Amino acid sequence: SEVGTAPWLMLSLTGTMNVTNGAHVKFTVDSGSTGSRNAIYLNAGSSINVSNGSTFEIYGYGTAGKEGQGLQLDKAGAAGVNVTGKSTFLIDGTNRGYVNSPAIYVEDSTFTVQNCTANASNGGKFTATKGSTITYQNNAGHGLSAGDVTIEGSKFTADNNGYYGLYASSGFYVDSTSTVNVTHNSHGGDFAGLKLTSGVTDGLVEVGATVNITDNYCSGLSNNGVCEFEEGVNLTITGNNNDKGTTSNGGGIYNSGASANLALPSNAVIYNNHADT
């Protein structure tokens, strides 16, 4: 989809797109000076399924300040992306990665959203399981922003995103065999590395999990909900520096609001965090 052409999207999908058996699909959009470009418009009930060692990629160029995105849903929460069987899914350099709350499911695969010129993601349900590698990095806005976040047997990284690294608004679960790294986020404003809203009423990180919340440029962990990091979780919260002014509180942890209830393990490593307030 080149500069100077009229279409604002490449594919309007009603139904199912299956990429399988080692296939490699690549979309490239260039917003340039002539307007927004979107790769795929997902109509209600549609899905993209990447399986059996396949690769699906979306690349965006010239998207800063434009509203082009990798995946756009016409109806909130009414479409999904499934990446399974040692496959790879990548969105790189679009304005927003995906918007309007798709359901994302990743199993034994790699899923990456990076270099977006606005938010990498927007809402929906996110599930990673069975040895998956998940990365949200170098996005100008949010990294992973979702309603319900489930990470099982996987490695999750949110690094160098301008706003929240990882934001969950209804559910947060990390099992005993997972690693979560939230680093160098919130350089673009008053956000946090990891944010749990009051909608998270039964958040859980199981004993044995590793969670590193380090070197973020606002609060490391900002919690308004209910979450238990079980005894024996390997939790490290260090080097976070909240310099966002007198209305932004907490360096390592900001536990705030009437419904906030945060349980931490006795072996948690929490030091060398700073805040103006």
Side-chain angles (χ1 to χ4, degrees):
S1 181
E2 298 177 346
V3 175
T5 59
W8 66 277
L9 59 83
M10 297 184 71
L11 171 66
S12 178
L13 181 63
T14 301
T16 302
M17 182 177 186
N18 296 313
V19 182
T20 190
N21 296 333
H24 187 170
V25 172
K26 177 180 177 180
F27 286 77
T28 301
V29 294
D30 191 336
S31 293
S33 60
T34 56
S36 299
R37 291 291 182 272
N38 302 272
I40 302 176
Y41 189 85
L42 294 165
N43 293 281
S46 64
S47 63
I48 297 172
N49 303 315
V50 186
S51 63
N52 196 19
S54 299
T55 300
F56 188 97
E57 298 172 314
I58 299 174
Y59 292 92
Y61 300 95
T63 62
K66 301 178 176 64
E67 298 214 354
Q69 42 259 350
L71 304 176
Q72 167 75 59
L73 275 66
D74 75 329
K75 183 178 180 181
V81 175
N82 303 293
V83 186
T84 61
K86 300 187 184 306
S87 296
T88 298
F89 186 97
L90 171 68
I91 297 177
D92 188 337
T94 59
N95 179 256
R96 294 181 291 175
Y98 58 82
V99 300
N100 216 8
S101 302
I104 307 291
Y105 179 82
V106 186
E107 179 182 305
D108 188 25
S109 295
T110 298
F111 186 97
T112 303
V113 185
Q114 63 186 19
N115 302 320
C116 292
T117 55
N119 295 331
S121 60
N122 168 243
K125 182 176 182 179
F126 183 91
T127 302
T129 188
K130 296 183 179 178
S132 294
T133 300
I134 311 300
T135 306
Y136 288 76
Q137 64 185 4
N138 303 328
N139 300 290
H142 303 311
L144 173 58
S145 174
D148 186 271
V149 174
T150 298
I151 302 171
E152 298 175 326
S154 298
K155 181 180 180 181
F156 176 93
T157 299
D159 180 67
N160 195 38
N161 299 289
Y163 298 167
Y164 294 117
L166 196 167
Y167 174 101
S169 61
S170 62
F172 182 67
Y173 172 70
V174 179
D175 85 333
S176 62
T177 61
S178 292
T179 297
V180 173
N181 296 314
V182 181
T183 57
H184 308 107
N185 301 288
S186 297
H187 54 79
D190 181 8
F191 298 96
L194 170 60
K195 174 69 174 183
L196 306 177
T197 75
S198 60
V200 176
T201 59
D202 59 352
L204 178 64
V205 180
E206 290 184 340
V207 55
T210 297
V211 179
N212 299 308
I213 304 172
T214 61
D215 301 318
N216 296 284
Y217 302 102
C218 196
S219 302
L221 167 59
S222 177
N223 176 63
N224 303 118
V226 177
C227 186
E228 177 184 3
F229 290 73
E230 289 185 333
E231 188 68 17
V233 169
N234 301 301
L235 175 63
T236 300
I237 303 177
T238 61
N240 301 286
N241 183 22
N242 186 351
D243 60 357
K244 297 301 186 287
T246 58
T247 61
S248 183
N249 299 269
I253 299 171
Y254 184 30
N255 193 49
S256 172
S259 62
N261 190 323
L262 184 64
L264 303 179
S266 61
N267 62 309
V269 177
I270 305 173
Y271 67 88
N272 197 31
N273 302 287
H274 304 277
D276 288 354
T277 306

